[in-house]
Amino acid sequence: MGSLSGNIQRPLVAAAAVIAASVSADVSDKFSSLRSLLLGSESEPIAASVSGSFQDQKSLWVSHISASKLADLSFVSRIRLPVPNVDLLAPNPSCNLAPSVTSLPALRSAYQSAELAKASKPAAFTIGASSLVVPDVSYKWHLPETDAVDLSGSSSCALEKNRTVVVLLGWLGSKQKHMKKYAEWYTSRGYHVITFTLPMNEIMSYQVGGKAEKNVESLVNHLADWLDEEQQKNLVFHTFSNTGWLTYGAILEKFQKQDSSLMGRVKGCIVDSAPVAAADPTVWASGFSAAFLKKNSVATKGSTSSSCESNMGARINFSKAKPAATETALLLILEKFFGVILNLPKVSRRLADVVDTLSSSQPRCPQLYIYSSADRVIPAGQVELFIVEQRKAGHEVRACNFISSPHVDHFRSNPELYTAELNHFMDNFVLACCNHSS
C-alpha cells in the first residue's frame, strides 16, 4: 500500500518472492496479489474487513429450478416462494416468461436454484433448454427439497422452516462448491438457504466501493426485500471463520441503519470456527496462509487428543504437526504485513465498528459456537472468552468443542456430531415449535 515505507516494502517483497518460488503454482499466483498490495496503488486497497460505506443499489437476481428436483410443485400455489421479479430483467426478445413466474410450467422449465447476480453487471443473460442463467454469481439461493415440504400444511414446524432462510457466510477462500454440503443438509430439512462467498481476489484487492462491498450490499438488499414480503419470515445466519463472522457483523450494521426492525427477524446464529474479536496479526496471518496453501497448510491437519475433556476451559494436550519451512516463512511475512495493515487508522476503525456490533449489538437470539481445541487458525481460548462475554450480556449461548478437528473442518471430520448439534439447536432453540414434531 502507498502508506507502507520503503524500508518495510523491500524485505517483505523479497521474502515473498522466495516463498512464492518454493510453493505450488496456485500459491504463487495468489501471493502475487499480496505483493501488489505491498507495492501499493492509488486507490489504497485494504486487505481485510468488510466496509460499511455501501452504495445504495438494488440487486438483480434470477433463479432456476430443475424439473427433476421439483417434480411435484402442487404446493407452489399455497406457499410463497422467493422467486425472482421478472420485471427487473432487461428486455430480451428471446425471453417470453409470463409475469406470473410461480406458474408450474415456468418453474419446471426455468428454475433450479436462485443465482443472484451482482447489480454492477449488465443484465445480459442466456437461456438454455431448461435454465435461465445470469453470469458473475456472488451468492446463490437453494430451495428446500420437495420431500421435506409438508404439502398438507398441517405441520407448524414444516411451515416455520419454509418461512426461514439460513444464510451461509463462507470462510476466506471458500467457493460455492464448498458451501454445497451445508446447503444440502438444510434444504433436506425444509429450509431455504442462501450461500454467500467472497472470492480471494476481491478480498486481496479490497477497496471502498469495490466489488466486495457491492456483493455484501446486494445480499443485504435482497434479504431486506424478502423479509418485507411477509412479516412471519425469518433469518438464521451460519458463519464460517472470522471472514464469515465479520461479514455477518457488516450485515447487522446495515440492518440497523436501513431498518432496525430487521434485527428482530434474525432468529438464530451459528458460528463455526470463530471468533477472534481482537485485531490479532497472528490470527490474520494464519487465516490467509491456510487460504493460500489449502491442503498443504498445517492448519488443515487434525490433531490427536490425549484427553477427551470437552468442557470450556479444560486443558487438552495435543500432538500437533509443525509447519513446513515454507509455511513458517510465509506466516512470518504475513504477520509483519498485517501488523502494519491492521494498525492503519481506517482499517482499525472499521474493524472496531464491526466487532463492536458483534460484541454488544447482536440480535436477541440463540447462538451456537462450534469450534475445536486443535484449530490452528482460531484459538479455542479466544472463542471461549467471547462466549463468556455473550453470556454475561444475557444472550442464550450453546457451545460445542470438537476437540481434534481442524479449522472449518468439523462437518467433514465428524458429520454425525455436527448435524446432531445443528438439528438440536435449530429444533429446540431457534424453532421452538419443532421440538416435539421433528
Side-chain angles (χ1 to χ4, degrees):
M1 296 180 65
S3 61
L4 296 180
S5 69
N7 291 333
I8 295 176
Q9 293 177 28
R10 284 190 288 274
L12 291 185
V13 173
V18 174
I19 297 302
S22 60
V23 295
S24 67
D26 180 61
V27 176
S28 179
D29 291 340
K30 288 186 172 62
F31 203 79
S32 64
S33 297
L34 176 59
R35 184 176 183 276
S36 68
L37 284 182
L38 293 172
L39 292 174
S41 67
E42 295 180 356
S43 59
E44 192 181 2
I46 300 173
S49 87
V50 178
S51 174
S53 58
F54 300 112
Q55 297 178 359
D56 291 329
Q57 192 172 20
K58 294 291 183 179
S59 68
L60 175 66
W61 62 285
V62 185
S63 56
H64 54 111
I65 304 175
S66 65
S68 61
K69 185 174 181 180
L70 301 180
D72 183 4
L73 292 175
S74 60
F75 65 96
V76 172
S77 61
R78 297 194 304 276
I79 300 177
R80 297 185 65 187
L81 294 176
V83 294
N85 183 350
V86 179
D87 294 335
L88 293 177
L89 296 175
N92 189 315
S94 64
C95 181
N96 296 316
L97 291 178
S100 177
V101 296
T102 55
S103 65
L104 288 178
L107 283 170
R108 284 199 180 104
S109 63
Y111 300 95
Q112 179 177 5
S113 62
E115 292 189 352
L116 309 174
K118 304 172 193 173
S120 60
K121 289 291 180 180
F125 53 90
T126 58
I127 301 179
S130 60
S131 65
L132 181 61
V133 179
V134 178
D136 202 10
V137 173
S138 63
Y139 51 104
K140 191 174 184 178
W141 193 293
H142 309 259
L143 297 178
E145 297 290 341
T146 52
D147 55 4
V149 177
D150 178 26
L151 301 179
S152 68
S154 60
S155 171
S156 60
C157 179
L159 185 59
E160 280 297 304
K161 289 179 178 180
N162 188 68
R163 289 171 174 168
T164 301
V165 168
V166 179
V167 184
L168 300 174
L169 303 175
W171 60 90
L172 179 68
S174 63
K175 299 179 180 179
Q176 286 292 331
K177 65 180 181 180
H178 300 132
M179 298 288 99
K180 184 178 179 182
K181 63 182 176 182
Y182 299 95
E184 288 178 344
W185 185 84
Y186 280 111
T187 57
S188 71
R189 301 284 302 167
Y191 298 98
H192 295 269
V193 175
I194 287 179
T195 50
F196 177 84
T197 58
L198 285 172
M200 277 287 292
N201 64 327
E202 293 185 13
I203 296 176
M204 292 300 297
S205 61
Y206 187 84
Q207 54 186 300
V208 174
K211 293 178 69 177
E213 280 193 10
K214 291 177 181 178
N215 287 345
V216 175
E217 174 74 356
S218 178
L219 174 62
V220 168
N221 285 335
H222 177 70
L223 292 175
D225 289 343
W226 186 78
L227 291 172
D228 190 53
E229 293 176 3
E230 185 179 328
Q231 288 301 312
Q232 292 178 310
K233 291 180 177 179
N234 297 305
L235 299 174
V236 173
F237 286 89
H238 187 151
T239 76
F240 297 89
S241 193
N242 254 27
T243 297
W245 185 68
L246 291 172
T247 303
Y248 174 52
I251 291 171
L252 294 182
E253 274 191 329
K254 187 61 177 176
F255 278 176
Q256 290 175 331
K257 294 176 181 178
Q258 183 169 319
D259 182 356
S260 59
S261 67
L262 295 174
M263 297 287 281
R265 311 289 285 277
V266 181
K267 299 301 181 182
C269 176
I270 299 155
V271 181
D272 184 320
S273 302
V276 171
D280 187 342
T282 302
V283 171
W284 285 72
S286 298
F288 273 80
S289 176
F292 289 152
L293 299 175
K294 299 187 182 342
K295 294 182 180 179
N296 294 318
S297 171
V298 71
T300 64
K301 316 301 180 189
S303 300
T304 302
S305 171
S306 60
S307 172
C308 294
E309 295 291 335
S310 60
N311 294 328
M312 283 178 53
R315 185 173 182 178
I316 303 173
N317 298 317
F318 293 102
S319 174
K320 292 185 177 180
K322 294 182 178 180
T326 51
E327 184 171 5
T328 300
L330 178 60
L331 285 168
L332 179 61
I333 294 169
L334 289 170
E335 284 181 29
K336 291 183 179 297
F337 175 73
F338 284 111
V340 175
I341 294 296
L342 296 177
N343 283 301
L344 293 174
K346 191 173 184 179
V347 176
S348 180
R349 286 194 301 269
R350 183 70 197 113
L351 282 175
D353 289 343
V354 173
V355 171
D356 181 66
T357 297
L358 290 163
S359 300
S360 59
S361 302
Q362 285 209 44
R364 306 304 296 184
C365 65
Q367 304 173 15
L368 170 63
Y369 292 83
I370 297 175
Y371 64 105
S372 171
S373 295
D375 194 324
R376 303 291 289 267
V377 177
I378 303 293
Q382 293 289 321
V383 178
E384 291 170 352
L385 285 175
F386 191 82
I387 290 171
V388 170
E389 292 302 316
Q390 288 297 289
R391 285 175 173 165
K392 287 181 179 179
H395 291 283
E396 184 177 20
V397 179
R398 291 183 56 82
C400 180
N401 186 343
F402 275 61
I403 306 296
S404 59
S405 52
H407 187 61
V408 291
D409 201 43
H410 313 309
F411 192 176
R412 188 188 67 84
S413 298
N414 197 332
E416 292 82 10
L417 178 59
Y418 195 93
T419 55
E421 285 291 327
L422 291 183
N423 200 41
H424 181 70
F425 179 71
M426 294 295 289
D427 286 356
N428 292 277
F429 295 91
V430 177
L431 305 177
C433 64
C434 295
N435 58 6
H436 298 299
S437 58
S438 78

